């Protein structure tokens, strides 16, 4: 990896000397040098070369001295590190330089072997900073795509050896579908469709998070959410009611003569299910999710719900009838179920 170094010094012969002393490293593309004769010119070079790694700067220079330059560097490039190279190596200058952010201090006349070691140490530090920032950015991006449970799981020891393990949990599953959304894709530009969908998803996600649930996955224009822990069923229903209320307040969307009023249909089911990584270890493609009959029932309840309805089964109704107002919808034959299931709608 090549180190890009800005040398800031008003000595006319220094550029030639640097090129001579490091000619082999320059030929091998180990070092690349950029030169400036004072702090003002150095700031211009930094703007022109945002990928610079190190600044080697003298102190005494016209227009802007090296100590002043140190105070300007974080504004231009917060990653770059500076080494002061000066004949004024008294303790006051050294302390001032270090207090202003210098990574190191080299005294003139320059010992080029010592300077090279200092440059290598500084370059390694800058690379570590860059790798740390990259990891933070990647982690933030990862959080947008990977479930929080997976991220927490990844911090456990030997998590790779237990990727295919799973657990049986007691939880509530909620399927939320944006009703009739597919129809608007025929008349609304694709980029606008995505913006509308993301905004509507955000309303749904906020409702889930507010009740300490987590979004398991996005599926087209639907969401699968899971609620675990104490009062998971009550919290899931509270979330469903809140999401429905938010959608009732959403204004009609008008585009190219098409008028669309967003509504949701919601199915809720509660009980025992399996939670874990589903997929292929050989392919290295896994999906952390929940599976089981409870999950299947929730999806089928959502499919049977009308716009604005929150549909539950009779066994869920018996658990929540004292806390929520519901009305009976009647028996429905759900897919792959032998006997009809009595359904209820949560009103409030």
């Amino acid at each position: 990896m090549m180190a890009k170094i800005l040398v800031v010094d008003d000595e006319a012969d220094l550029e030639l000397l640097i090129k001579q002393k490091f000619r082999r490293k320059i030929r091998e593309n180990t070092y690349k040098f950029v030169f400036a004769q004072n702090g003002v010119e150095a700031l211009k070079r930094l703007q022109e070369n945002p990928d610079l790694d190190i600044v080697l700067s003298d102190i005494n220079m016209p227009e802007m001295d090296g100590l002043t330059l140190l105070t300007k560097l974080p504004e231009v490039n917060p990653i770059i590190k500076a080494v002061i190279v000066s004949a004024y190596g008294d303790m006051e200058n050294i302390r001032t330089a270090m207090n202003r952010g210098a990574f190191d201090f080299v005294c003139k006349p320059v010992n080029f072997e010592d300077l090279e070691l200092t440059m290598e140490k500084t370059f390694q530090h800058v690379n570590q900073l860059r790798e740390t920032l990259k990891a933070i950015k990647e982690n933030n991006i990862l959080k947008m795509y990977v479930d929080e449970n997976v991220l927490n799981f990844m911090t456990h020891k030997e998590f790779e050896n237990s990727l295919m393990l799973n657990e049986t949990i007691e939880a509530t599953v909620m399927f939320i579908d944006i009703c009739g959304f597919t129809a608007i894709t025929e008349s609304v530009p694709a980029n606008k469709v995505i913006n509308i969908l993301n905004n509507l998803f955000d309303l749904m996600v906020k409702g889930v998070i507010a009740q300490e649930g987590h979004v398991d996955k996005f599926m087209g224009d639907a969401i699968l959410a899971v609620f675990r822990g104490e009062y998971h069923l009550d919290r899931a229903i509270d979330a469903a009611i809140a999401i429905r209320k938010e959608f009732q307040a959403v204004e009609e969307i008008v585009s190219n003569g098409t008028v669309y009023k967003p509504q949701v249909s919601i199915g809720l089911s509660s009980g025992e299910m399996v939670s874990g990584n589903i997929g292929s270890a050989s392919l290295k493609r896994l999906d952390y999710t929940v599976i089981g009959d409870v999950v299947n029932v929730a999806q089928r309840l959502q499919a049977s719900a009308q716009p604005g309805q929150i549909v539950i089964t009779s066994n869920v109704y018996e658990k929540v009838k004292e806390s929520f107002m519901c009305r009976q919808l009647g028996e429905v034959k759900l897919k792959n179920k032998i006997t009809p299931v009595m359904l209820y709608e949560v009103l409030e």
Side-chain angles (χ1 to χ4, degrees):
M1 186 179 294
M2 181 172 63
K4 289 193 70 174
I5 304 156
L6 173 61
V7 180
V8 190
D9 201 305
D10 61 341
E11 290 185 22
D13 297 334
L14 184 64
E15 180 175 343
L16 181 60
L17 186 59
I18 290 282
K19 289 178 177 178
Q20 288 175 347
K21 291 292 184 180
F22 295 109
R23 62 184 180 276
R24 185 174 62 83
K25 292 290 181 74
I26 294 171
R27 284 200 308 267
E28 294 172 350
N29 287 325
T30 303
Y31 294 154
K32 180 178 180 179
F33 290 97
V34 177
F35 296 90
Q37 296 194 358
N38 55 61
V40 173
E41 190 179 336
L43 293 176
K44 291 179 182 177
R45 297 291 175 270
L46 285 164
Q47 294 282 3
E48 296 165 357
N49 301 272
D51 57 342
L52 282 164
D53 302 297
I54 306 169
V55 174
L56 304 179
S57 178
D58 194 8
I59 291 180
N60 281 350
M61 296 177 293
E63 296 191 67
M64 182 188 291
D65 62 75
L67 296 178
T68 303
L69 175 61
L70 285 174
T71 65
K72 307 287 185 182
L73 292 180
E75 301 171 16
V76 182
N77 187 336
I79 296 296
I80 201 167
K81 292 298 174 185
V83 176
I84 295 295
V85 183
S86 173
Y88 297 90
D90 57 275
M91 188 54 66
E92 183 178 351
N93 274 322
I94 292 174
R95 286 189 59 80
T96 301
M98 303 307 285
N99 287 336
R100 293 187 182 185
F103 184 77
D104 211 332
F105 198 110
V106 175
C107 293
K108 291 181 178 179
V110 177
N111 178 322
F112 281 92
E113 289 183 4
D114 177 60
L115 177 62
E116 185 169 1
L117 288 173
T118 302
M119 288 160 53
E120 290 293 335
K121 179 181 68 174
T122 309
F123 182 57
Q124 288 175 12
H125 181 75
V126 171
N127 268 340
Q128 287 174 355
L129 287 176
R130 285 208 172 101
E131 288 299 318
T132 300
L133 282 177
K134 181 182 176 184
I136 292 170
K137 288 179 181 178
E138 289 175 348
N139 188 55
N140 289 337
I141 294 170
L142 188 65
K143 287 178 180 178
M144 297 174 67
Y145 288 92
V146 180
D147 183 81
E148 184 180 357
N149 287 299
V150 178
L151 295 177
N152 293 335
F153 179 62
M154 287 170 66
T155 63
H156 295 171
K157 275 190 170 184
E158 300 178 353
F159 77 93
E160 289 186 1
N161 295 330
S162 55
L163 278 176
M164 299 305 289
L165 297 181
N166 54 62
E167 59 177 332
T168 301
I169 63 170
E170 190 78 21
T172 298
V173 174
M174 177 166 65
F175 273 89
I176 321 167
D177 183 72
I178 304 173
C179 303
F181 188 81
T182 305
I184 75 167
T185 62
E186 299 175 2
S187 56
V188 177
N191 61 332
K192 188 170 183 179
V193 168
I194 294 297
N195 289 334
I196 294 170
L197 184 60
N198 286 339
N199 290 334
L200 296 177
F201 271 158
D202 203 41
L203 290 179
M204 296 152 75
V205 170
K206 285 177 180 176
V208 171
I209 293 174
Q211 292 298 330
E212 299 179 14
H214 77 268
V215 175
D216 184 283
K217 59 171 64 69
F218 296 92
M219 304 175 296
D221 53 14
I223 282 179
L224 165 59
V226 181
F227 295 79
R228 301 172 64 168
E230 289 188 331
Y231 302 106
H232 55 80
L233 177 53
D234 285 20
R235 289 188 285 108
I237 294 177
D238 281 334
I241 293 171
I243 291 167
R244 179 174 62 187
K245 185 177 179 180
E246 286 290 337
F247 269 73
Q248 287 170 348
V250 174
E251 295 181 356
E252 290 182 338
I253 298 167
V254 181
S255 180
N256 296 333
T258 299
V259 180
Y260 173 67
K261 178 65 175 78
Q263 295 187 77
V264 288
S265 58
I266 301 174
L268 278 161
S269 184
S270 189
E272 195 175 85
M273 64 198 73
V274 176
S275 173
N277 288 291
I278 311 299
S280 168
S282 300
L283 189 61
K284 297 184 178 179
R285 290 286 300 276
L286 300 173
D287 185 16
Y288 190 90
T289 189
V290 287
I291 59 171
D293 185 61
V294 171
V295 182
N296 297 336
V297 168
Q299 187 171 30
R300 284 156 194 161
L301 292 176
Q302 177 275 310
S304 69
Q306 297 299 310
Q309 281 189 330
I310 301 168
V311 177
I312 57 176
T313 57
S314 56
N315 66 321
V316 171
Y317 167 73
E318 292 298 326
K319 295 176 183 177
V320 301
K321 63 183 179 182
E322 295 181 358
S323 302
F324 298 92
M325 185 181 296
C326 306
R327 74 178 180 94
Q328 192 178 85
L329 294 175
E331 286 189 333
V332 173
K333 181 78 164 57
L334 297 179
K335 183 180 178 181
N336 295 335
K337 291 291 181 182
I338 297 173
T339 57
V341 178
M342 180 63 70
L343 302 187
Y344 289 79
E345 176 186 3
V346 178
L347 300 177
E348 59 181 62

